[in-house]
Amino acid sequence: MSDEAKAKYRGEWVRQRAMESISVVIPTYNRAALLRRAIQTVIEATTPKDEIIVVDDGSTDDTSRVPSEFEREVRYLRVPNGGAGAARNVGVEAATHDLVGFADSDDEWLPSRLDKQRTLMETRRDLVFSFSNFGQLFPDGSIEHAWGKQWHEDSRGWDEILGAGQPCSALIPLLPGVADVPVHIGSMYRNQLHTNYINVNTVLARRSLAGEAFRFGIGLPTWEECECFARLTRLGPCAYLDVDTALQRAHGGPRLTDADSIQVATARLLIISRTWATDEVFVREHGEEMHAIVEGLNKQLARGFLLRGHFAQAREAAARLHHGGLEKAILRLPAPLLSQALTLYRARRKS
């Protein structure tokens, strides 16, 4: 069966079952060439009753022309440049359907993106959101599937991370010809404190349950989506489908997930202070665990700034450490000595 025939069959399946329509938000900034492919893959995975919203975050290229190139209606919203989090927030507010998904403009949805998630979210209306595994698409066209474990770097299986899996077919009727996959349902709230397990391109969330928590972080150097996920996971259960539903593109240009260790540590500390640290019940039950993570992130900042020669910022981070005797001792040295030591360290690394 051709992709076009599959898409037509998928649309008929959704129509006959009177499935919920969804809104898809695509934030973008100066990616006109990649945006065309991203929109096309969303069109192939959805039906005409679904809504596609492109939020242009102040692009200076030909982005504004791309949405009108398709026969399918694609809503186009232009906003002043404010970052990916702000752009996604505009899209969520503009969405007309209760179920909302996301597609970054440099990534791709698979045609089967919604075959299971849409039905699961309609059947299990207690789920705040669902998400899945994803593949990595390389410049030579090759794909490495099930990339999630390399992304979040947790060696545990999903039975341990989120709860025992069960066949998707035990929860929902599957579209004819669609392979069964494990589904894990539970809370990701505590897990998300440690790292990010959730790829935004695979998320399908219910606005009526998410409410005011359905907002992405702003004023962050990176990880804007993780602030949103912290708030959503606090609200209730989510589901993980152990199957690829999207492809993350590896390319030479900047992407939303690019960030160095200092940016990541800075963002995570801000997110923790805005979310888990404000949850009195969580702090009471898991405060020691949270404080250990904060300590590690401040160590990461102190070392990162030190190695870049930003001694004042390194001292600020070290001052927040409760332990970290080595970092504090090193940073008590006069700046000239630190500069000499750093020069020697860099020379040895090169040799």
Side-chain angles (χ1 to χ4, degrees):
M1 185 182 293
S2 68
D3 288 343
E4 183 178 355
K6 288 179 180 177
K8 184 176 181 181
Y9 185 65
R10 185 177 295 112
E12 182 64 17
W13 168 265
V14 171
R15 187 190 66 78
Q16 289 180 0
R17 292 187 53 79
M19 300 298 291
E20 281 189 78
S21 296
I22 73 164
S23 296
V24 184
V25 176
I26 307 177
T28 188
Y29 176 70
N30 283 348
R31 290 198 183 117
L34 292 173
L35 177 61
R36 290 183 178 89
R37 178 59 184 161
I39 293 174
Q40 183 60 43
T41 65
V42 170
I43 288 174
E44 292 170 359
T46 56
T47 74
K49 289 186 177 181
D50 296 321
E51 178 181 47
I52 302 173
I53 306 170
V54 170
V55 183
D56 183 351
D57 189 29
S59 296
T60 57
D61 62 1
D62 292 333
T63 291
S64 62
R65 300 180 183 177
V66 176
S68 62
E69 295 175 1
F70 297 88
E71 291 184 10
R72 172 94 167 265
E73 181 183 0
V74 178
R75 291 179 62 190
Y76 173 77
L77 303 176
R78 181 177 175 84
V79 295
N81 183 258
R88 289 195 185 104
N89 288 340
V90 169
V92 170
E93 291 174 6
T96 60
H97 299 304
D98 197 27
L99 291 178
V100 180
F102 301 91
D104 283 347
S105 58
D106 54 346
D107 296 323
E108 300 182 8
W109 275 18
L110 294 175
S112 58
R113 167 72 168 82
L114 299 169
D115 286 355
K116 303 176 184 70
Q117 272 186 289
R118 189 197 300 262
T119 313
L120 179 63
M121 291 297 293
E122 183 178 63
T123 304
R124 287 290 304 263
R125 302 186 75 87
D126 61 316
L127 295 175
V128 180
F129 69 96
S130 60
F131 67 109
S132 76
N133 213 329
F134 62 97
Q136 183 82 340
L137 175 61
F138 293 94
D140 63 1
S142 62
I143 298 172
E144 184 163 344
H145 294 285
W147 189 258
K149 183 163 285 189
Q150 298 189 50
W151 199 55
H152 58 65
E153 298 182 335
D154 188 339
S155 61
R156 298 178 299 163
W158 280 96
D159 282 348
E160 186 176 353
I161 294 171
L162 190 53
Q166 53 187 313
C168 190
S169 60
L171 298 168
I172 60 171
L174 295 179
L175 190 154
V178 171
D180 211 349
V181 299
V183 177
H184 304 261
I185 296 176
S187 173
M188 287 297 295
Y189 187 43
R190 185 178 175 187
N191 287 309
Q192 280 291 118
L193 174 65
H194 292 266
T195 188
N196 182 32
Y197 295 82
I198 305 166
N199 186 307
V200 69
N201 296 292
T202 73
V203 166
L204 189 61
R206 187 171 292 283
R207 289 199 307 169
S208 56
L209 290 182
E212 292 300 315
F214 202 175
R215 64 184 189 276
F216 292 81
I218 57 176
L220 297 171
T222 184
W223 277 43
E224 298 94 339
E225 71 275 20
C226 295
E227 182 171 340
C228 180
F229 299 154
R231 299 184 193 283
L232 294 184
T233 55
R234 180 180 178 180
L235 293 177
C238 63
Y240 169 78
L241 293 82
D242 199 3
V243 61
D244 292 355
T245 65
L247 299 177
Q248 178 173 278
R249 182 187 296 272
H251 58 78
R255 57 173 303 117
L256 298 180
T257 50
D258 281 344
D260 64 24
S261 61
I262 287 179
Q263 289 179 315
V264 170
T266 300
R268 290 187 63 192
L269 285 168
L270 281 169
I271 292 168
I272 290 171
S273 70
R274 295 173 179 178
T275 55
W276 291 281
T278 67
D279 182 346
E280 294 181 2
V281 174
F282 186 87
V283 172
R284 185 166 60 247
E285 296 178 354
H286 307 291
E288 186 174 338
E289 181 180 336
M290 183 188 71
H291 293 313
I293 291 172
V294 169
E295 182 85 355
L297 291 170
N298 277 314
K299 278 189 178 182
Q300 184 176 321
L301 278 182
R303 293 172 182 174
F305 283 129
L306 175 62
L307 292 176
R308 287 165 173 77
H310 301 157
F311 302 136
Q313 292 164 296
R315 288 192 177 98
E316 288 179 9
R320 295 192 292 268
L321 295 174
H322 295 284
H323 304 292
L326 178 60
E327 289 82 3
K328 288 185 176 182
I330 291 173
L331 288 166
R332 289 194 188 101
L333 296 173
L337 284 179
L338 285 175
S339 296
Q340 292 177 21
L342 184 57
T343 299
L344 289 173
Y345 172 78
R346 289 170 175 168
R348 293 186 65 178
R349 287 286 300 270
K350 290 181 179 179
S351 62

